[in-house]
Amino acid sequence: MSDHNSLKTMQNLIEKYNVPGPRYTSYPTVPYWQTADFKEELWIGSLKKAFSQTNSEKGISLYIHLPYCESLCTFCGCNKRITKNHAVEMPYIQALLKEWSLYAGYFDEKPIVSEIHLGGGTPTFFSAESLEKLLLGILNTVSLSKDFEFSFEGHPNNTTFGHLQKLYDLGFRRVSFGVQDYDPIVQKAIHRIQPFEHVRKVTDWSREIGYDSISHDLVYGLPFQKLSGIIDTIEKTIALKPDRLSFYSYAHVPWLKGNGQRGYREEDLPSAVLKRELYETGRDLFEKAGYSEIGMDHFALPGDKMFAAAGNQQLHRNFMGYTTSQTKVLIGLGVSSISDSWYGFAQNTKDLDKYYAMINANQLPVVKGHILSDEDLVTRKQILDIMCNLSVQINEDDRDFEEKNVFMEKMADFEADGLLKMTGNNLIVTEKGKAFLRNICMAFDKRMLRGKSEERLFSKTV
Ligand SMILES: C[S@@+](CC[C@H](N)C(=O)[O-])C[C@H]1O[C@@H](n2cnc3c(N)ncnc32)[C@H](O)[C@@H]1O
Ligand code: SF4
């Protein structure tokens, strides 16, 4: 097929499939949680069950949300609070430690931690000493599994040698830096001026100190992004040779993020077709430089743990995105964090004042959640298989007659469009289908298919 024809086919597919849809960092996705049926006792019950099944064998995972940033990037979809006042650090650390002690009180064995991730917001908004206080406060109450993995998100504009050294001394071996894009026009539009030199400096320091896995976050689909600019960004990135890359699709959700995503106009964003070309250009350059595409929007060099996990079908996906973690228990601490017990989800309040008030009243700051039904557990596994392994086993008896007809029609349509191949009950996503992974998952998403339309909640799938 000529390049022109293949571009035309991709253009047709994008027109057909570029609809709002979830990124499937959970199933059910948050808008379809049955919050009315959720009770804290049920959540704690599900957590204790998962803890007893996983603690001694695989340990538990902790996600700690550090919401503060000094300056607002107007594209940002994360839960953050902008301030230059560093007096907020200590009260927040104390609240996190209290929240952890509330959780630890539910367990009758000492927790064994296999993973800690500091996310944000900007963890490096906090001083190295504040982070040390937080981590020592937790580490003094737990044991560590033998292959524990600690990681954090660092902002290249404010990560110091001191942060990197202190966190390394505490056991951190993985760091991801937010790069986004090096084009000065894009940086101005997203209100994030970040010279290449800053990224080079923090990457070199991390390597010098001994970090095993350095990751860079890039985003495609940002305002004013052009092919020439993305090529330059990727060449600069390859020159620093990070072990892993997240190459995120820009999620444009201004209705959720208030004024934060209104620093530019809709027409300043690349079209869906250009956005896909930006991704494919980047992917080809990364592959030429020795990276492998992992799941959706991620790349890794052959020496990185994520590369091996993808090859051994050991990749997992949760609220942090793709991970190599295998535990059933993820406890999310801090404002807006989500916890996952495999059998249930619970989300903390996004309101900082309410977070403090609940913690001060010795209450878990959980405000909503979902307990998974037996059917949810089956669907959850199927969606994880598609997102992580690009293949899934379909169970014929899984749907009633009408749902089965609709489902099989969708599968036939995907197959006719060349997005997947069915062999018996086995479905395999094709190379072309990787661009539409979220659409394929949507055909499995029973909660969404049965629920009312929630279109405005999700960014578009391409
Ligand atoms: C919490 S931030 C990283 C840490 C630090 N705050 C920084 O900006 O360097 C996590 C990553 O999410 C990604 N991100 C944020 N908003 C996004 C959006 N609207 N669409 C896609 N990716 C986004 C960015 O790549 C960002 O680096
Ligand atoms: S991209 Fe990072 S630094 Fe910028 S507002 Fe979002 S969380 Fe804060």
Short mmCIF file of all heavy atoms in Angstrom, two decimals, residues 68 83 85-93 125-126 356:
data_model
loop_
_atom_site.label_atom_id
_atom_site.label_comp_id
_atom_site.label_asym_id
_atom_site.label_seq_id
_atom_site.Cartn_x
_atom_site.Cartn_y
_atom_site.Cartn_z
N TYR A 68 1.74 19.95 45.77
CA TYR A 68 2.12 21.35 45.55
C TYR A 68 3.05 21.53 44.35
O TYR A 68 3.90 20.68 44.06
CB TYR A 68 2.81 21.91 46.80
CG TYR A 68 1.88 21.93 47.99
CD1 TYR A 68 2.03 21.03 49.04
CD2 TYR A 68 0.82 22.83 48.03
CE1 TYR A 68 1.16 21.03 50.11
CE2 TYR A 68 -0.06 22.84 49.10
CZ TYR A 68 0.12 21.93 50.13
OH TYR A 68 -0.75 21.93 51.19
N THR A 83 1.47 27.08 44.85
CA THR A 83 1.87 28.01 45.92
C THR A 83 3.39 28.17 45.92
O THR A 83 4.11 27.26 45.48
CB THR A 83 1.40 27.53 47.32
OG1 THR A 83 1.83 28.48 48.28
CG2 THR A 83 1.97 26.17 47.69
N ASN A 85 4.59 29.15 48.90
CA ASN A 85 4.76 29.15 50.35
C ASN A 85 5.18 27.76 50.86
O ASN A 85 4.36 26.84 50.95
CB ASN A 85 3.42 29.58 50.99
CG ASN A 85 3.47 29.47 52.49
OD1 ASN A 85 4.55 29.31 53.08
ND2 ASN A 85 2.30 29.54 53.12
N HIS A 86 6.44 27.63 51.23
CA HIS A 86 6.94 26.31 51.64
C HIS A 86 6.60 25.96 53.08
O HIS A 86 6.92 24.86 53.54
CB HIS A 86 8.43 26.20 51.33
CG HIS A 86 8.66 26.02 49.85
ND1 HIS A 86 8.88 24.80 49.28
CD2 HIS A 86 8.62 26.92 48.83
CE1 HIS A 86 8.99 24.95 47.96
NE2 HIS A 86 8.84 26.23 47.66
N ALA A 87 5.91 26.88 53.77
CA ALA A 87 5.45 26.54 55.12
C ALA A 87 4.39 25.44 55.06
O ALA A 87 4.06 24.83 56.08
CB ALA A 87 4.88 27.79 55.80
N VAL A 88 3.86 25.15 53.87
CA VAL A 88 2.84 24.09 53.76
C VAL A 88 3.45 22.69 53.89
O VAL A 88 2.73 21.71 54.09
CB VAL A 88 2.08 24.17 52.40
CG1 VAL A 88 1.30 25.48 52.27
CG2 VAL A 88 3.03 24.00 51.22
N GLU A 89 4.78 22.58 53.77
CA GLU A 89 5.39 21.25 53.69
C GLU A 89 5.13 20.40 54.94
O GLU A 89 4.65 19.27 54.86
CB GLU A 89 6.91 21.37 53.46
CG GLU A 89 7.24 21.90 52.09
CD GLU A 89 8.74 21.90 51.81
OE1 GLU A 89 9.48 21.09 52.40
OE2 GLU A 89 9.18 22.73 50.97
N MET A 90 5.50 20.94 56.10
CA MET A 90 5.47 20.11 57.32
C MET A 90 4.06 19.66 57.72
O MET A 90 3.86 18.47 58.03
CB MET A 90 6.17 20.83 58.48
CG MET A 90 7.59 20.38 58.66
SD MET A 90 7.70 18.58 58.67
CE MET A 90 8.84 18.28 57.44
N PRO A 91 3.06 20.59 57.72
CA PRO A 91 1.71 20.11 58.07
C PRO A 91 1.24 19.00 57.14
O PRO A 91 0.58 18.05 57.58
CB PRO A 91 0.83 21.36 57.92
CG PRO A 91 1.77 22.52 57.99
CD PRO A 91 3.11 22.05 57.51
N TYR A 92 1.61 19.10 55.87
CA TYR A 92 1.16 18.07 54.92
C TYR A 92 1.84 16.73 55.21
O TYR A 92 1.20 15.68 55.23
CB TYR A 92 1.40 18.53 53.48
CG TYR A 92 0.72 17.63 52.48
CD1 TYR A 92 -0.66 17.65 52.32
CD2 TYR A 92 1.45 16.72 51.71
CE1 TYR A 92 -1.30 16.80 51.43
CE2 TYR A 92 0.81 15.86 50.81
CZ TYR A 92 -0.56 15.91 50.66
OH TYR A 92 -1.19 15.05 49.79
N ILE A 93 3.15 16.79 55.49
CA ILE A 93 3.89 15.55 55.81
C ILE A 93 3.28 14.91 57.07
O ILE A 93 3.10 13.68 57.14
CB ILE A 93 5.39 15.86 56.05
CG1 ILE A 93 6.03 16.49 54.82
CG2 ILE A 93 6.17 14.66 56.57
CD1 ILE A 93 6.32 15.58 53.68
N PHE A 125 8.97 19.78 45.05
CA PHE A 125 8.59 21.05 45.69
C PHE A 125 9.05 20.99 47.14
O PHE A 125 9.47 21.99 47.73
CB PHE A 125 7.06 21.22 45.62
CG PHE A 125 6.51 22.35 46.44
CD1 PHE A 125 6.25 23.59 45.86
CD2 PHE A 125 6.22 22.19 47.79
CE1 PHE A 125 5.74 24.64 46.61
CE2 PHE A 125 5.71 23.23 48.55
CZ PHE A 125 5.47 24.47 47.95
N PHE A 126 8.95 19.79 47.73
CA PHE A 126 9.32 19.57 49.14
C PHE A 126 10.84 19.50 49.26
O PHE A 126 11.51 18.98 48.36
CB PHE A 126 8.71 18.26 49.64
CG PHE A 126 7.22 18.32 49.82
CD1 PHE A 126 6.37 18.28 48.71
CD2 PHE A 126 6.65 18.46 51.08
CE1 PHE A 126 4.99 18.35 48.87
CE2 PHE A 126 5.27 18.54 51.25
CZ PHE A 126 4.45 18.49 50.14
N TYR A 356 -7.43 17.71 55.53
CA TYR A 356 -6.89 17.98 56.87
C TYR A 356 -7.95 17.74 57.93
O TYR A 356 -7.67 17.16 58.99
CB TYR A 356 -6.39 19.42 56.97
CG TYR A 356 -5.03 19.63 56.34
CD1 TYR A 356 -4.85 20.54 55.30
CD2 TYR A 356 -3.92 18.91 56.78
CE1 TYR A 356 -3.60 20.73 54.73
CE2 TYR A 356 -2.67 19.09 56.21
CZ TYR A 356 -2.52 20.01 55.19
OH TYR A 356 -1.29 20.18 54.62
#
